[in-house]
Amino acid sequence: NAGVTQTPKFRILKIGQSMTLQCTQDMNHNYMYWYRQDPGMGLKLIYYSVGAGITDKGEVPNGYNVSRSTTEDFPLRLELAAPSQTSVYFCATSSGSGYEQYFGPGTRLTVT
Amino acid sequence: QQPVQSPQAVILREGEDAVINCSSSKALYSVHWYRQKHGEAPVFLMILLKGGEQKGHEKISASFNEKKQQSSLYLTASQLSYSGTYFCGTDEWGANNLFFGTGTRLTVIP
């Protein structure tokens, strides 16, 4: 089992460009999350989903969008990239409330 | 609300003990603890759900106070492999949406 996979591993974007960060899991978990981690800081929740077709905003959703059409996939869309979105992005999954979260390896994004 | 985590950093010699604290201004549904090594993803250590709960994981254990507002992570007889940044994540409503502290950087030296 691959667990949680994220692509790409690294990406450099120019200001104003758009991109989609991919997250796929084979753990059959209903809960999925997107976090960003700025250098030397903790993780901040961007969006989350409790099942296919259900998404909601987290702590820092501005500038991002998500969709969840299947249990396995939870892509994160950046529209009009800004330097403030330079960060490491982690996708995570959980089997439900009160259970641990499993993190993917992360995507390091630089916007210049 | 982001929990307050302390200390920000600690350096230990192998075999020494450390305590990392995580505090919230309100009662929590649960507290999660994760360890992250440089350039890697966070890895789950343990979760505490009940007030007064204590849990152990080899030489790493944690407690959750009765009011469910504070948790502490205890590392005993530290090993070089314990080095990393430790984060607490707090769940306020039971939706498993975590607010993470800013982390405690633990360095274990020979």
Side-chain angles (χ1 to χ4, degrees), chain A residues 1 3 5 7 9 11 15 17 21 35 37 40 42 45 48-49 52 55-56 63 66 70 77 82 92 111:
Chain A
N1 289 345
T5 57
T7 56
K9 285 188 169 59
R11 182 73 185 266
I15 294 171
Q17 288 184 323
L21 282 67
Y35 292 94
Q37 185 176 33
L45 183 65
Y48 67 97
S49 169
T55 63
D56 208 345
V66 294
T70 67
R77 178 83 177 161
V111 182

Side-chain angles (χ1 to χ4, degrees), chain A residues 33 35 43-46 48 58-59 92 98-101 103, chain B residues 1-3 29-34 44 47 88-93 95-101:
Chain A
Y33 313 84
Y35 292 94
L43 298 98
K44 291 191 182 294
L45 183 65
I46 305 171
Y48 67 97
E59 194 180 353
Y99 291 89
E100 66 258 42
Q101 296 188 12
F103 286 82
Chain B
Q1 295 290 347
Q2 184 178 38
Y29 180 82
S30 68
V31 174
H32 298 219
W33 286 97
Y34 292 83
F44 174 77
I47 182 173
C88 67
T90 56
D91 180 0
E92 297 181 2
W93 306 294
N96 228 35
N97 298 337
L98 301 181
F99 289 96
F100 281 89

